[in-house]
């Protein structure tokens, strides 16, 4: 069942012919393609949301990991509208959602708003290319690159702190497409690194104390 997105209430009587995000024939990529009328703005958003979720569901990892990777790919000042803008106030700074699904909702509604308002497909093509880039990294097993993008996406969405300790949920961990899970990644959890170093130091001190007593 497709997630019901909030309706866009602004009317665009002179909208260009409707286009949607759709799965490519290989089910590993997204394309931007036209659809026949009648397709309401809500139909377009729901269909596009379903296509993106299906593309992410075809991988082994949790969809929220790839959504944050997507945010970490497009939330930059040099991205096209509506995400880019001045370095001190880029468009993505207007995002105020609280979870990964809010991130995807924001990306969808804002990109289609720009498409309908300015009658250009550039932003949609950019989002599709960014999704395909994330999917390609996942299918190639580029764990480190995806980890970095996920963390940047979570930070730019305001869902983890920029500085200090952040503990990332285990369900956002990387999975290879052969189904093998990577060992727990301490680089995601600075708190775990600190604990590891503290435990190691304590073990070394206990070993030294035992040797001294002997």
């Amino acid at each position: 069942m497709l997630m019901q997105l909030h309706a866009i209430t602004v009317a665009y009587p002179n909208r260009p012919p409707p286009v949607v995000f759709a799965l490519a024939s290989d089910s590993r990529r997204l394309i931007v393609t036209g659809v026949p009328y009648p397709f309401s703005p809500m139909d377009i958003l729901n269909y596009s949301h379903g296509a993106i979720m299906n593309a992410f569901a075809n991988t082994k990892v949790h969809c929220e990991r790839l959504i944050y990777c997507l945010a970490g790919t497009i939330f930059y000042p040099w991205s096209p509208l509506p995400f880019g803008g001045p370095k001190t106030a880029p468009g993505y700074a207007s995002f105020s959602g609280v979870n990964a699904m809010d991130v995807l909702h924001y990306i969808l509604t804002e990109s289609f708003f720009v498409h309908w308002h300015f009658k250009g497909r550039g932003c949609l093509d950019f989002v599709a290319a960014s999704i395909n880039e994330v999917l390609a990294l996942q299918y190639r097993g580029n764990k480190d690159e995806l980890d970095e993008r996920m963390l940047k996406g979570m930070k730019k969405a305001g869902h983890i702190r920029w500085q200090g300790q952040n503990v990332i949920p285990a369900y956002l961990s990387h999975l290879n497409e052969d189904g093998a899970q990577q060992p727990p990644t301490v680089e995601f959890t600075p708190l775990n690194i600190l604990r590891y170093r503290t435990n190691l130091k304590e073990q070394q001190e206990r070993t030294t104390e035992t040797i001294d007593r002997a």
Side-chain angles (χ1 to χ4, degrees):
M1 180 182 296
L2 299 182
M3 184 185 76
Q4 294 299 309
L5 303 178
H6 300 301
I8 292 181
T9 58
V10 179
Y12 296 101
N14 298 317
R15 305 197 289 273
V19 295
V20 296
F21 292 117
L23 269 179
S25 57
D26 62 3
S27 298
R28 291 190 169 199
R29 295 178 298 110
L30 281 183
I31 58 174
V32 180
T33 184
V35 294
Y37 284 108
F39 243 61
S40 70
M42 179 62 73
D43 292 333
I44 290 171
L45 290 175
N46 280 331
Y47 189 97
S48 297
H49 176 268
I52 295 172
M53 292 300 292
N54 284 334
F56 289 167
N58 287 336
T59 71
K60 300 291 185 181
V61 298
H62 198 285
C63 66
E64 291 188 9
R65 173 178 170 84
L66 297 181
I67 291 172
Y68 283 124
C69 289
L70 177 61
T73 301
I74 69 176
F75 283 7
Y76 282 96
W78 52 80
S79 295
L81 290 175
F83 310 112
K87 190 173 182 179
T88 56
Y92 70 83
S94 65
F95 173 72
S96 59
V98 298
N99 55 45
M101 299 313 296
D102 287 343
V103 173
L104 182 57
H105 174 266
Y106 173 81
I107 291 172
L108 269 176
T109 56
E110 291 298 307
S111 58
F112 273 104
F113 180 90
V114 168
H115 168 61
W116 291 327
H117 187 76
F118 296 106
K119 301 181 178 64
R121 237 180 67 169
C123 181
L124 299 183
D125 290 333
F126 171 73
V127 171
S130 298
I131 291 171
N132 290 337
E133 184 177 343
V134 168
L135 288 169
L137 289 169
Q138 172 62 28
Y139 284 117
R140 289 199 300 264
N142 291 75
K143 173 185 176 299
D144 292 342
E145 177 66 22
L146 288 167
D147 286 349
E148 182 177 352
R149 293 190 188 205
M150 184 186 73
L151 289 173
K152 285 183 178 179
M154 296 180 79
K155 289 177 179 178
K156 292 184 177 185
H159 294 172
I160 60 173
R161 294 184 295 270
W162 276 96
Q163 304 293 334
Q165 299 168 347
N166 288 300
V167 178
I168 307 302
Y171 73 88
L172 295 179
S173 297
H174 176 72
L175 284 172
N176 291 324
E177 285 306 305
D178 60 7
Q181 186 170 11
Q182 293 288 333
T185 49
V186 294
E187 64 266 29
F188 276 6
T189 57
L191 181 59
N192 283 351
I193 296 176
L194 178 61
R195 287 172 177 167
Y196 171 80
R197 291 174 178 169
T198 301
N199 292 339
L200 180 61
K201 182 179 180 181
E202 290 176 351
Q203 291 173 5
Q204 291 173 339
E205 289 175 349
R206 285 197 297 269
T207 301
T208 302
E209 182 179 353
T210 301
I211 294 174
D212 289 343
R213 289 179 177 176

